[in-house]
């Protein structure tokens, strides 16, 4: 049967998560059309089998990948055929100039680091993913996992080795901790995170607040046009979005704007001297959050560094304070920021710092060290540091439960040597994700989750989540607590599986949300199905329940459901319009590469980059849906 042409304005695709390739070597691409599919489509993941170790068998550098396996055609949404092309993933180097046209070292093209920050000369830097554009429809969906594994297994990531730091008030002891699994504290505490955030510490205190409305069909509340980037600039980050009881706030090029949640009317605009580099999803009870921004707008000659840490009042639309830190005589350029225990903590390869949330007074500052530095922090109910120690070939990560006021280490778990990156999924209960032995192979950055007792630092359980079976992703390289497709509550980890054949006619696909017990590391047997040609992603906890978004087929609108934490019964909270104009905008907001907030019957989807890569006349950075 003749394949229909791909949708118009289809942007160029890139392979999945993988290390930077030598710019001098030719880039390979996926076949232009899929081979004849097998008589029996591959079955989905075995959701009942016992967890297997996450270690993979790495291919030797330079080993050519095998031929791509036959793959059923995919489309803009499930059920619509198109030619498969692997999407951009974490760390894949698009051959583009540095920020604002600036070339890389020695005249080679170099992709900018997160939010325009540059790596040391001589090191290749992983890139951040571009948001999916219209025409993909499935924008950001991962292709067949086997294809992604082949693409990403070609080379190894060139990593940045930064200077070291150490807590000012910590003991500095490097005595080894026990790592045997045993039970620990499983009671969730009250976190800083509010509705809409995925980093709410996994807390399950309180009752579920999201209820099904009388009519679940939604309407578009408002849309925000994508800001125009300056001439000669390809992309500018616009990461950061938050919900309060009355305001939806979103970052722009050099500002944050607060919109009325129901009408989209601007309630306030906070002007900033430069773009937002990083933002925490945590919002305090008094509607405060934290960001990192540049001190001025970047230019071709001066890309600017991400040196300014600020606290923003989301109710009033004001900046309460701005602080900087130094490593020696140089200002620290921060990669990430979070809030935990009344403390704002920011980290990077060149140092970290912590300030009192209310006053902005410095609480503690790291000391320099030859072998260790604070890569970043996870916040919410507690404050957890990811500390890197050792040389590039003997790296060891220390996961530290930190006293927010003093910086003292309350408990510490040392991961096996060779694990380069870890992301904090939850701080209470403490769960981190890592790609052990670079075995994930699919761009997710995850092969295993580690459940850790945050009182003793002992490993409770290790949860195997192979990249070809599970669809969660973490950008652990810089953001530390930036994960999608996974949430924590009820002392369980809820994770999306990879898409697979649904068992119906044709090439229909589906996936599930399944649960792991954090005490045993085993699956509980609970399972929530996406439905034919839908793909489900857990967003956050709502008391004991899981709030999840269902990415729709090409001819339907997305859905939001509440999954009962015990019975796994799904309750439909919202179904979006299926008109083409609405689907065209919603389809670009991939859960992997966009920010999705849901609360009080409102769904808010936003992009994290503004770019000039599209030929479309109208682009949107925000689309909001409501049922009331």
């Amino acid at each position: 049967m003749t394949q229909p042409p791909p949708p118009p304005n289809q942007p160029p695709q890139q392979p999945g998560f993988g290390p930077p390739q030598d710019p001098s070597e030719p880039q390979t691409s996926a076949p232009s059309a899929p081979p004849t599919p097998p008589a029996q489509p591959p079955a989905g993941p075995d959701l009942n089998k016992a967890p297997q170790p996450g270690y993979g068998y790495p291919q030797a550098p330079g080993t050519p990948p095998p031929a791509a396996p036959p793959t059923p055609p995919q489309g803009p949404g499930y059920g619509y055929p198109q030619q498969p092309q692997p999407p951009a993933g974490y760390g894949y180097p698009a051959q583009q100039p540095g920020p604002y046209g600036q070339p890389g070292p020695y005249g080679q093209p170099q992709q900018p680091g997160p939010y325009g920050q540059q790596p040391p000369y001589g090191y290749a830097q992983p890139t951040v993913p571009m948001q999916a554009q219209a025409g993909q429809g499935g924008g950001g969906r991962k292709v067949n996992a086997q294809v992604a594994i082949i693409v990403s297994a070609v080379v190894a990531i060139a990593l940045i080795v930064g200077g070291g730091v150490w807590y000012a008030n910590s003991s500095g002891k490097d005595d080894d901790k026990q790592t045997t699994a045993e039970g620990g504290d499983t009671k969730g505490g009250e976190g800083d995170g509010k509705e809409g955030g995925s980093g709410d510490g996994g807390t399950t205190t309180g009752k579920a607040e999201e209820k099904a409305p009388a009519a679940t069909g939604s309407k578009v509340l408002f849309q925000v046009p994508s800001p125009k980037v300056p001439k000669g600039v390809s992309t500018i980050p616009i990461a950061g979005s938050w919900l309060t009881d009355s305001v939806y706030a979103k970052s722009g090029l050099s500002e944050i704007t607060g919109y009325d949640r129901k009408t989209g009317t601007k309630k306030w605009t906070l002007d900033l001297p430069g773009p937002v580099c990083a933002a925490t999803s945590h919002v305090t009870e008094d509607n405060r959050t934290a960001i990192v921004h540049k001190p001025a707008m970047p230019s071709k000659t001066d890309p600017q560094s991400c040196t300014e840490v600020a606290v923003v009042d989301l109710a009033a639309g004001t900046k309460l304070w701005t602080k900087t830190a130094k490593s020696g005589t140089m200002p620290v350029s921060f990669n990430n920021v979070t809030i935990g225990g009344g403390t704002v903590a920011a980290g990077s390869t060149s140092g970290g710092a912590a300030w009192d949330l209310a006053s902005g007074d410095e609480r503690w500052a790291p000391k320099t060290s030859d072998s260790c530095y604070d890569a970043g922090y996870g916040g919410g109910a507690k404050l957890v540091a990811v500390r890197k120690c050792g040389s590039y070939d003997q790296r060891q990560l220390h996961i530290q439960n930190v006293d927010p006021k003093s910086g003292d280490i309350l408990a510490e778990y040392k991961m096996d040597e060779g694990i380069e990156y870890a992301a904090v999924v939850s701080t209470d209960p403490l769960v981190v994700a890592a790609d052990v032995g670079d075995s994930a192979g699919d761009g997710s950055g995850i092969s295993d989750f580690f459940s850790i007792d945050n009182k003793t630092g002992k490993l409770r359980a290790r949860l195997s989540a192979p990249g070809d079976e599970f669809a969660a992703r973490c950008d652990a390289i810089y953001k530390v607590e930036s994960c999608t497709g996974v949430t924590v509550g009820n002392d369980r980890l809820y994770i999306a599986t990879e898409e697979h054949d649904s068992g119906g006619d044709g090439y229909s696909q589906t996936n599930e949300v399944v649960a792991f017990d954090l005490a045993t590391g085993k699956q509980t047997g609970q399972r929530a199905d996406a439905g034919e040609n839908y793909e489900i992603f857990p967003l956050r906890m709502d008391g004991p329940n899981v709030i999840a978004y269902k990415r729709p087929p090409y001819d339907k609108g997305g859905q939001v459901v509440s999954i009962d934490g015990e019975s796994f019964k799904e309750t439909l909270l919202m179904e979006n319009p299926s008109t083409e104009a609405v689907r065209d905008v919603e389809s670009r907001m991939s859960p992997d590469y966009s920010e999705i907030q849901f609360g009080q019957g409102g769904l808010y989807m936003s992009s994290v980059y503004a770019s000039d890569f599209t030929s479309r006349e109208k682009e949107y950075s925000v689309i909001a849906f409501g049922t009331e």
Side-chain angles (χ1 to χ4, degrees):
M1 182 175 67
T2 303
Q3 298 288 336
N9 299 321
Q10 175 112 359
Q13 303 292 307
Q14 298 176 6
F17 181 89
Q21 297 182 358
D22 187 340
S24 63
E25 295 181 357
Q27 303 295 311
T28 59
S29 60
S32 59
T36 303
Q40 296 295 328
D46 183 355
L47 303 178
N48 298 313
K49 73 177 183 179
Q52 300 297 316
Y55 289 97
Y57 187 83
Q59 294 182 358
T63 302
T71 306
Q74 302 294 314
Y78 288 149
Y80 187 92
Q82 80 171 41
Q83 296 174 345
Q85 292 180 330
Y90 292 108
Y92 188 85
Q95 296 303 317
Q96 299 172 4
Y100 313 100
Q102 188 175 10
Y106 312 113
Q108 296 179 3
Q110 182 171 350
Q111 181 79 343
Y115 315 106
Q117 186 177 356
Q118 295 298 297
Y121 279 96
Y123 286 94
Q125 175 151 336
T127 67
V128 286
M130 292 302 303
Q131 78 173 83
Q133 299 293 327
Q136 282 179 283
R141 290 184 194 275
K142 285 181 281 186
V143 295
N144 183 286
Q146 292 173 303
V147 177
I149 291 171
I150 293 169
V151 173
S152 61
V154 179
V155 286
I157 296 177
L159 304 169
I160 302 171
V161 181
V165 295
W166 179 245
Y167 293 111
N169 298 317
S170 66
S171 65
K173 292 182 180 179
D174 282 332
D175 51 315
D176 195 17
K177 303 286 184 181
Q178 295 182 17
T179 58
T180 55
E182 67 174 51
D185 180 24
T186 60
K187 183 180 179 180
E190 183 177 356
D192 292 306
K194 297 178 75 174
E195 62 185 51
S198 61
D200 59 357
T203 58
T204 56
T205 55
K207 298 180 180 180
E209 297 181 357
E210 306 296 344
K211 306 297 182 183
T216 56
S218 72
K219 65 178 181 179
V220 176
L221 299 178
F222 61 90
Q223 299 177 92
V224 178
S226 183
K228 299 296 184 182
V229 298
K231 185 178 181 180
V233 176
S234 58
T235 62
I236 286 183
I238 52 172
S241 59
W242 307 266
L243 279 178
T244 73
D245 291 339
S246 61
V247 170
Y248 171 74
K250 173 62 183 169
S251 296
L253 293 186
S254 59
E255 64 185 16
I256 299 175
T257 302
Y259 302 92
D260 182 280
R261 286 183 56 148
K262 294 185 178 180
T263 66
T265 303
K266 288 186 180 181
K267 302 187 74 169
W268 49 260
T269 297
L270 173 61
D271 292 324
L272 300 171
V276 174
C277 304
T280 180
S281 64
H282 301 298
V283 179
T284 64
E285 291 298 324
D286 56 354
N287 297 318
R288 298 182 180 187
T289 193
I291 62 171
V292 176
H293 65 84
K294 294 187 176 185
M297 287 299 293
S299 66
K300 291 183 179 180
T301 58
D302 188 357
Q304 298 291 327
S305 297
C306 301
T307 56
E308 316 296 300
V309 177
V311 165
V312 176
D313 185 329
L314 296 172
T318 58
K319 187 163 58 173
L320 302 181
W321 52 259
T322 303
K323 299 293 180 179
T324 60
K326 289 185 176 181
S327 178
T329 59
M330 298 296 294
V332 175
S333 184
F334 295 103
N335 300 130
N336 54 77
V337 66
T338 194
I339 297 175
T343 292
V344 176
S348 74
T349 58
S350 57
W355 300 268
D356 180 83
L357 174 63
S359 66
D361 295 337
E362 185 177 291
R363 280 192 165 175
W364 43 267
K367 296 178 180 179
T368 58
S369 167
D370 292 336
S371 60
C372 298
Y373 67 90
D374 307 340
Y377 307 93
K382 297 184 182 296
L383 187 63
V384 172
V386 176
R387 176 172 173 258
K388 288 191 175 186
C389 291
S391 60
Y392 167 73
D393 56 347
Q394 290 183 315
R395 183 81 72 205
Q396 186 175 44
L397 300 183
H398 298 205
I399 309 302
Q400 302 171 329
N401 184 15
V402 178
D403 185 312
K405 294 184 178 180
S406 67
D408 291 341
I409 300 173
L410 304 177
E412 180 180 64
Y413 171 70
K414 295 181 180 180
M415 305 189 78
D416 292 342
E417 287 190 7
I419 301 175
E420 186 67 23
Y421 302 108
V424 179
V425 181
S426 167
T427 59
D428 188 16
L430 179 53
V431 180
V432 298
D435 186 359
V436 179
D438 296 327
S439 60
D442 67 337
S444 66
I446 304 171
S447 67
D448 296 81
F449 292 91
F450 296 79
S451 172
I452 301 168
D453 188 319
N454 54 23
K455 287 186 177 180
T456 66
K458 295 180 179 180
L459 183 69
R460 299 177 62 202
R462 177 169 163 177
L463 293 63
S464 177
D468 61 345
E469 295 184 21
F470 296 94
R473 307 176 70 95
C474 290
D475 182 10
I477 297 177
Y478 296 108
K479 298 180 184 178
V480 177
E481 62 176 358
S482 176
C483 295
T484 60
V486 62
T487 192
V488 172
N490 305 320
D491 205 38
R492 294 169 186 162
L493 181 137
Y494 301 97
I495 183 172
T497 68
E498 279 285 6
E499 63 172 293
H500 56 83
D501 176 70
S502 66
D505 296 334
Y507 296 113
S508 56
Q509 300 282 298
T510 190
N511 78 322
E512 302 80 25
V513 169
V514 298
F516 283 84
D517 188 307
L518 292 177
T520 65
K522 298 180 179 180
Q523 289 189 36
T524 64
Q526 296 165 307
R527 166 176 168 168
D529 295 316
E532 188 172 358
N533 285 326
Y534 284 88
E535 186 177 14
I536 189 170
F537 295 84
L539 297 178
R540 64 174 177 91
M541 299 301 299
D542 174 33
N545 298 341
V546 179
I547 300 298
Y549 172 72
K550 289 188 177 182
R551 191 160 176 78
Y554 77 97
D555 58 348
K556 295 182 180 180
Q559 297 178 349
V560 177
V561 297
S562 176
I563 305 171
D564 186 280
E566 292 299 327
S567 68
F568 257 46
K569 178 183 177 181
E570 295 181 41
T571 300
L572 179 65
L573 302 179
M574 173 182 289
E575 183 164 17
N576 295 335
S578 60
T579 59
E580 183 178 0
V582 175
R583 287 189 285 107
D584 185 57
V585 180
E586 182 180 5
S587 66
R588 288 180 289 134
M589 303 298 182
S590 162
D592 281 332
Y593 305 126
S594 302
E595 295 172 339
I596 301 179
Q597 313 271 4
F598 180 84
Q600 299 180 14
L603 174 67
Y604 305 83
M605 310 177 76
S606 65
S607 56
V608 295
Y609 283 90
S611 72
D612 64 352
F613 289 158
T614 178
S615 60
R616 303 177 62 84
E617 294 182 359
K618 197 72 171 179
E619 294 291 335
Y620 295 95
S621 63
V622 175
I623 185 168
F625 300 92
T627 56
E628 298 178 359

